[in-house]
Amino acid sequence: MTRILFLCVSNSARSQMAEGLARHLLGENAEVMSAGSQPSQVNLHAIAAMAEIGIDISQQQSQSVDTIDPAAIDMVVTLCAEEVCPILPGKVKRLHWPISDPASGTGDRSSEENLEQFRIARDQIKARIAVLSGLLDIPPSPSAEEFHGSIRVQDLPGSVRFYAWLLNTWPKEWTHRYATFICNDLNLNFVLVVSDGKELHHDTLYHLGIGVADRGAVIAAYHQAVAFGAPIEKPPRTTWKGTPLHELWLTDPDGTLIEIYARLTNAELAHKPADELPEFLVPNTGPDAV
């Protein structure tokens, strides 16, 4: 369980809404509290904005950051935008989410206009906590040794010039359809592909690639992906046509293809089959699997 402290100045609006949202969204993955450098009381508009989404913070209390034991906190999230945020000393993970104070200037607005400012702050905080909720319990992931990415471009000459400048290297090769950059210092293989409306082979273009050490690492990545719940596009296999690779294909939540791959050793290349058909690396995952 991660112990999270939300901080703002008065501990009346942003940090109070964050506390209520985090307790609701993070559940048993986190122990949540909030505090401020000049604590006051929970703002009525904050209570109303949270009640609109079914979360009751009316019983929460403002407290001073000076009352918090740093040893009891794993993560501090500061929410100040224009003000100087309070500080909790100690060795903790620190995040800063600058959210404009919805209580600022309330005297110049109607009650409904004030409430709308609190809704905006509430929704911004909620979106950030929704991302945080997926980061608190990430299991082990593949150990990457290099990365491959490809993007579509309208102007290949202009884009090649730009990325040659940005990456400080000429492309390794180029055609009328694509250009490939190899950046050894970044462990990056980067491809620009002309966006001309033609059908392109999705196994080799428009994806993110992660290079791992060897065949065993690809197999291990498969089991890690299954445990994580990542969709498997193609199970681990050794392919011989084109660039021989041990590879695993996943899809991200938007359907973007992710290739996890390892290059074959010379000894492995020596065993290339005559028919060059893929070899599936995990039992019962090939095309004939039941």
Side-chain angles (χ1 to χ4, degrees):
M1 179 181 292
T2 303
R3 301 166 297 179
I4 304 174
L5 172 66
F6 292 97
L7 290 178
C8 66
V9 175
S10 62
N11 191 213
S12 64
R14 291 162 293 183
S15 57
Q16 291 287 353
M17 290 192 291
E19 178 183 344
L21 286 162
R23 188 170 288 115
H24 178 75
L25 294 173
L26 304 182
E28 296 181 353
N29 286 330
E31 179 181 333
V32 181
M33 62 187 76
S34 66
S37 53
Q38 302 173 28
S40 56
Q41 59 185 8
V42 183
N43 191 293
L44 294 178
H45 290 300
I47 294 173
M50 294 294 288
E52 289 180 343
I53 60 172
I55 300 176
D56 181 9
I57 64 169
S58 62
Q59 301 306 307
Q60 293 179 192
Q61 300 292 320
S62 296
Q63 62 179 326
S64 172
V65 66
D66 296 334
T67 66
I68 304 297
D69 178 8
I73 301 299
D74 301 309
M75 180 185 299
V76 171
V77 182
T78 49
L79 298 151
C80 307
E82 300 84 9
E83 321 94 311
V84 176
C85 279
I87 296 174
L88 183 79
K91 188 177 181 180
V92 297
K93 184 173 183 63
R94 300 180 188 275
L95 303 176
H96 180 56
W97 300 344
I99 305 292
S100 296
D101 185 2
S104 176
T106 53
D108 300 326
R109 299 189 295 260
S110 68
S111 178
E112 178 59 29
E113 288 173 334
N114 283 328
L115 183 56
E116 180 60 24
Q117 294 304 305
F118 278 80
R119 290 176 182 133
I120 292 171
R122 175 201 67 197
D123 292 345
Q124 291 176 349
I125 296 168
K126 181 181 178 182
R128 285 170 165 83
I129 293 174
V131 174
L132 178 62
S133 68
L135 298 174
L136 294 181
D137 60 348
I138 294 179
S141 58
S143 296
E145 296 190 345
E146 65 179 25
F147 296 90
H148 168 83
S150 57
I151 62 174
R152 303 179 71 176
V153 299
Q154 298 290 337
D155 176 7
L156 185 62
S159 294
V160 167
R161 175 176 169 80
F162 174 83
Y163 282 102
W165 165 77
L166 184 67
L167 301 172
N168 194 30
T169 185
W170 276 36
K172 178 183 177 182
E173 62 179 357
W174 64 89
T175 72
H176 65 294
R177 301 283 322 272
Y178 68 85
T180 301
F181 291 85
I182 305 295
C183 304
N184 293 324
D185 55 334
L186 300 175
N187 294 326
L188 174 67
N189 180 343
F190 183 64
V191 181
L192 305 175
V193 186
V194 173
S195 178
D196 56 9
K198 294 183 179 180
E199 189 71 22
L200 295 170
H201 197 275
H202 73 279
D203 281 352
T204 56
L205 301 172
Y206 309 151
H207 69 274
L208 173 67
I210 298 175
V212 296
D214 51 27
R215 178 179 184 273
V218 173
I219 295 172
Y222 167 76
H223 293 295
Q224 290 172 322
V226 170
F228 180 70
I232 307 297
E233 178 73 14
K234 293 181 181 179
R237 59 183 189 161
T238 301
T239 60
W240 305 95
K241 296 180 179 179
T243 302
L245 294 172
H246 306 301
E247 62 176 16
L248 161 69
W249 288 87
L250 312 176
T251 54
D252 76 0
D254 289 306
T256 300
L257 286 163
I258 311 296
E259 180 190 26
I260 299 176
Y261 64 91
R263 303 183 190 280
L264 272 64
T265 65
N266 290 334
E268 290 171 331
L269 287 169
H271 291 87
K272 180 173 72 172
D275 57 14
E276 297 190 357
L277 291 177
E279 174 192 354
F280 288 86
L281 305 179
V282 176
N284 302 315
T285 61
D288 299 328
V290 178

